[in-house]
Amino acid sequence: RKQVDVLGVPVDVVTMKEAIQRVQHMYEEPGLHLVATANAEMVMLARRDKELHTILSNAALVVADGAGVLWAGEQKGQHFPERVAGCDLSMALLAEAAKRRTPVYCLGAAPGVAEQAIRNVEKKVGSLVVVGTHSGFFDDREEARIIDAIVQSGAKLVLVALGVPKQEKWISQKLAHLDGVVAIGIGGSFDVMAG
Ligand code: UDP
């Protein structure tokens, strides 16, 4: 696993294709696998947010999302093969999930947005096995039900759109007990897909 240190955050040197392949392997491996898409904002935030820094340092995969991260690599004489944008990565993971009938859970964004995003994505990649969706605005009681639903549904891919760093912290705090599950923080990707 080749990584480049970008201001203290280890970022994986991978193409989009390699990122997809890595995720495919994670479904077979024990534990919860957190995938993060690092842009300059996230890297800067991790410099003063210890919890975020620890999460990113222990993540299963951190891709270079954003020109700033690619540039920082070049400054250190380390070349990232390409930008792996969060929205593109989530689209590609969903395309793969459609093909392999991988169960997907979608959490985050305003009510109805994830559902609309899924409908739009399905027009492009074919039908998905969506085992559950929930908006990103919930209280503690609903949260307990969401976590339960994710576990009970057998979701293998969990897309979490709560914004940075809330989504990364939520995944690592709430889903750590899952097994063979990939959870990725996707920021505003549902909004983009729904638009
Ligand atoms: N969001 C949410 N719950 C929250 C805060 C944010 O569901 O408590 C959603 C918001 O609706 C949006 C996404 O999280 O869809 C954050 O998008 P943004 O583009 O701000 O992401 P970032 O730039 O933080 O990656």
Side-chain angles (χ1 to χ4, degrees):
R1 182 178 179 189
K2 186 164 188 275
Q3 293 178 305
V4 171
D5 181 294
V6 176
L7 296 171
V9 173
V11 181
D12 288 275
V13 179
V14 286
T15 59
M16 175 66 78
K17 197 173 163 207
E18 287 162 348
I20 304 297
Q21 285 168 349
R22 291 255 197 115
V23 168
Q24 220 53 50
H25 286 298
M26 290 175 201
Y27 294 133
E28 311 301 327
E29 285 161 29
L32 184 272
H33 309 282
L34 185 146
V35 177
T37 68
N39 57 17
E41 185 200 5
M42 185 188 277
V43 169
M44 292 312 289
L45 208 56
R47 286 170 74 80
R48 42 193 172 80
D49 186 330
K50 184 88 197 337
E51 187 185 352
L52 178 63
H53 184 263
T54 303
I55 291 169
L56 296 177
S57 301
N58 296 318
L61 180 67
V62 181
V63 299
D65 173 0
V69 173
L70 264 62
W71 179 86
E74 297 296 336
Q75 295 310 298
K76 300 189 72 176
Q78 303 279 355
H79 182 69
F80 287 104
E82 63 183 339
R83 178 176 175 218
V84 181
C87 197
D88 297 343
L89 179 60
S90 22
M91 269 302 289
L93 291 177
L94 287 172
E96 202 63 28
K99 208 160 72 185
R100 297 173 190 257
R101 314 304 297 152
T102 306
V104 182
Y105 191 99
C106 300
L107 175 66
V113 173
E115 289 83 350
Q116 185 58 52
I118 291 301
R119 281 194 289 275
N120 290 353
V121 170
E122 284 184 321
K123 284 179 204 152
K124 290 185 193 156
V125 307
S127 80
L128 285 157
V129 182
V130 179
V131 295
T133 56
H134 199 288
S135 86
F137 302 91
F138 45 80
D139 60 24
D140 289 353
R141 243 186 54 198
E142 285 171 292
E143 180 181 83
R145 272 198 247 120
I146 291 165
I147 296 165
D148 213 44
I150 292 172
V151 175
Q152 298 302 324
S153 67
K156 296 289 282 178
L157 175 63
V158 184
L159 304 180
V160 184
L162 301 174
V164 178
K166 195 174 172 185
Q167 58 198 19
E168 285 76 22
K169 292 182 181 181
W170 197 88
I171 291 168
S172 89
Q173 288 169 9
K174 313 290 180 180
L175 302 183
H177 58 299
L178 297 186
D179 224 17
V181 171
V182 175
I184 173 170
I186 64 166
S189 295
F190 286 146
D191 299 281
V192 174
M193 293 169 180

